[in-house]
PDB file of all heavy atoms in Angstrom:
ATOM      1  N   TYR A 298       8.658   3.690  19.999  1.00 98.00           N
ATOM      2  CA  TYR A 298       8.124   4.890  20.648  1.00 98.00           C
ATOM      3  C   TYR A 298       6.873   4.347  21.355  1.00 98.00           C
ATOM      4  O   TYR A 298       6.612   4.718  22.495  1.00 98.00           O
ATOM      5  CB  TYR A 298       7.777   5.906  19.533  1.00 98.00           C
ATOM      6  CG  TYR A 298       6.604   6.739  19.972  1.00 98.00           C
ATOM      7  CD1 TYR A 298       6.766   7.732  20.954  1.00 98.00           C
ATOM      8  CD2 TYR A 298       5.352   6.639  19.391  1.00 98.00           C
ATOM      9  CE1 TYR A 298       5.626   8.591  21.287  1.00 98.00           C
ATOM     10  CE2 TYR A 298       4.277   7.375  19.673  1.00 98.00           C
ATOM     11  CZ  TYR A 298       4.497   8.346  20.731  1.00 98.00           C
ATOM     12  OH  TYR A 298       3.369   9.093  21.115  1.00 98.00           O
ATOM     13  N   LEU A 299       6.085   3.531  20.607  1.00 98.00           N
ATOM     14  CA  LEU A 299       4.803   3.010  21.400  1.00 98.00           C
ATOM     15  C   LEU A 299       5.076   2.223  22.502  1.00 98.00           C
ATOM     16  O   LEU A 299       4.480   2.334  23.597  1.00 98.00           O
ATOM     17  CB  LEU A 299       3.995   2.224  20.383  1.00 98.00           C
ATOM     18  CG  LEU A 299       3.360   3.018  19.097  1.00 98.00           C
ATOM     19  CD1 LEU A 299       2.635   1.930  18.170  1.00 98.00           C
ATOM     20  CD2 LEU A 299       2.362   3.968  19.501  1.00 98.00           C
ATOM     21  N   ILE A 300       6.050   1.334  22.443  1.00 98.00           N
ATOM     22  CA  ILE A 300       6.360   0.323  23.530  1.00 98.00           C
ATOM     23  C   ILE A 300       6.816   1.157  24.701  1.00 98.00           C
ATOM     24  O   ILE A 300       6.464   0.974  25.874  1.00 98.00           O
ATOM     25  CB  ILE A 300       7.319  -0.723  23.096  1.00 98.00           C
ATOM     26  CG1 ILE A 300       6.622  -1.643  22.029  1.00 98.00           C
ATOM     27  CG2 ILE A 300       7.807  -1.558  24.185  1.00 98.00           C
ATOM     28  CD1 ILE A 300       7.508  -2.512  21.268  1.00 98.00           C
ATOM     29  N   ASP A 301       7.822   2.099  24.439  1.00 98.00           N
ATOM     30  CA  ASP A 301       8.453   2.880  25.442  1.00 98.00           C
ATOM     31  C   ASP A 301       7.454   3.644  26.260  1.00 98.00           C
ATOM     32  O   ASP A 301       7.491   3.941  27.449  1.00 98.00           O
ATOM     33  CB  ASP A 301       9.507   3.862  24.893  1.00 98.00           C
ATOM     34  CG  ASP A 301      10.769   3.069  24.492  1.00 98.00           C
ATOM     35  OD1 ASP A 301      10.876   1.829  24.889  1.00 98.00           O
ATOM     36  OD2 ASP A 301      11.610   3.695  23.796  1.00 98.00           O
ATOM     37  N   ASN A 302       6.398   4.078  25.480  1.00 98.00           N
ATOM     38  CA  ASN A 302       5.330   4.999  26.065  1.00 98.00           C
ATOM     39  C   ASN A 302       4.036   4.235  26.566  1.00 98.00           C
ATOM     40  O   ASN A 302       3.158   4.953  26.861  1.00 98.00           O
ATOM     41  CB  ASN A 302       5.053   6.153  25.133  1.00 98.00           C
ATOM     42  CG  ASN A 302       6.195   7.176  25.094  1.00 98.00           C
ATOM     43  OD1 ASN A 302       6.355   7.949  25.923  1.00 98.00           O
ATOM     44  ND2 ASN A 302       7.007   7.011  23.996  1.00 98.00           N
ATOM     45  N   LYS A 303       4.175   2.985  26.481  1.00 98.00           N
ATOM     46  CA  LYS A 303       3.004   2.110  26.833  1.00 98.00           C
ATOM     47  C   LYS A 303       1.773   2.654  26.123  1.00 98.00           C
ATOM     48  O   LYS A 303       0.611   2.677  26.738  1.00 98.00           O
ATOM     49  CB  LYS A 303       2.876   2.075  28.380  1.00 98.00           C
ATOM     50  CG  LYS A 303       3.955   1.487  29.113  1.00 98.00           C
ATOM     51  CD  LYS A 303       3.644   1.201  30.535  1.00 98.00           C
ATOM     52  CE  LYS A 303       4.670   0.492  31.312  1.00 98.00           C
ATOM     53  NZ  LYS A 303       6.160   0.611  30.958  1.00 98.00           N
ATOM     54  N   GLN A 304       1.954   2.855  24.800  1.00 98.00           N
ATOM     55  CA  GLN A 304       0.776   3.366  24.036  1.00 98.00           C
ATOM     56  C   GLN A 304       0.403   2.351  22.989  1.00 98.00           C
ATOM     57  O   GLN A 304       1.246   1.815  22.434  1.00 98.00           O
ATOM     58  CB  GLN A 304       1.268   4.663  23.424  1.00 98.00           C
ATOM     59  CG  GLN A 304       0.190   5.529  22.739  1.00 98.00           C
ATOM     60  CD  GLN A 304       0.729   6.716  21.946  1.00 98.00           C
ATOM     61  OE1 GLN A 304       1.514   7.486  22.407  1.00 98.00           O
ATOM     62  NE2 GLN A 304       0.398   6.641  20.591  1.00 98.00           N
ATOM     63  N   GLU A 305      -0.907   2.132  22.740  1.00 98.00           N
ATOM     64  CA  GLU A 305      -1.305   1.300  21.663  1.00 98.00           C
ATOM     65  C   GLU A 305      -1.208   2.061  20.310  1.00 98.00           C
ATOM     66  O   GLU A 305      -1.234   3.360  20.394  1.00 98.00           O
ATOM     67  CB  GLU A 305      -2.743   0.866  21.874  1.00 98.00           C
ATOM     68  CG  GLU A 305      -2.839   0.112  23.126  1.00 98.00           C
ATOM     69  CD  GLU A 305      -4.183  -0.558  23.434  1.00 98.00           C
ATOM     70  OE1 GLU A 305      -5.173  -0.130  22.750  1.00 98.00           O
ATOM     71  OE2 GLU A 305      -4.249  -1.482  24.306  1.00 98.00           O
ATOM     72  N   GLY A 306      -1.220   1.319  19.266  1.00 98.00           N
ATOM     73  CA  GLY A 306      -1.036   1.987  17.992  1.00 98.00           C
ATOM     74  C   GLY A 306      -1.333   1.053  16.853  1.00 98.00           C
ATOM     75  O   GLY A 306      -1.619  -0.240  16.930  1.00 98.00           O
ATOM     76  N   ASN A 307      -1.289   1.625  15.590  1.00 98.00           N
ATOM     77  CA  ASN A 307      -1.663   0.854  14.389  1.00 98.00           C
ATOM     78  C   ASN A 307      -0.679   1.085  13.310  1.00 98.00           C
ATOM     79  O   ASN A 307      -0.196   2.080  13.003  1.00 98.00           O
ATOM     80  CB  ASN A 307      -2.975   1.629  13.814  1.00 98.00           C
ATOM     81  CG  ASN A 307      -4.071   0.767  14.039  1.00 98.00           C
ATOM     82  OD1 ASN A 307      -4.141  -0.368  13.774  1.00 98.00           O
ATOM     83  ND2 ASN A 307      -5.223   1.531  14.514  1.00 98.00           N
ATOM     84  N   ILE A 308      -0.270  -0.110  12.652  1.00 98.00           N
ATOM     85  CA  ILE A 308       0.648   0.020  11.505  1.00 98.00           C
ATOM     86  C   ILE A 308      -0.065  -0.696  10.356  1.00 98.00           C
ATOM     87  O   ILE A 308      -0.653  -1.807  10.416  1.00 98.00           O
ATOM     88  CB  ILE A 308       1.943  -0.793  11.893  1.00 98.00           C
ATOM     89  CG1 ILE A 308       2.649  -0.011  13.023  1.00 98.00           C
ATOM     90  CG2 ILE A 308       2.904  -0.839  10.662  1.00 98.00           C
ATOM     91  CD1 ILE A 308       3.811  -0.809  13.650  1.00 98.00           C
TER      92      ILE A 308
END
Side-chain angles (χ1 to χ4, degrees):
Y298 154 73
L299 292 175
I300 294 164
D301 288 348
N302 289 282
K303 298 191 172 32
Q304 189 191 305
E305 299 189 343
N307 251 316
I308 298 168

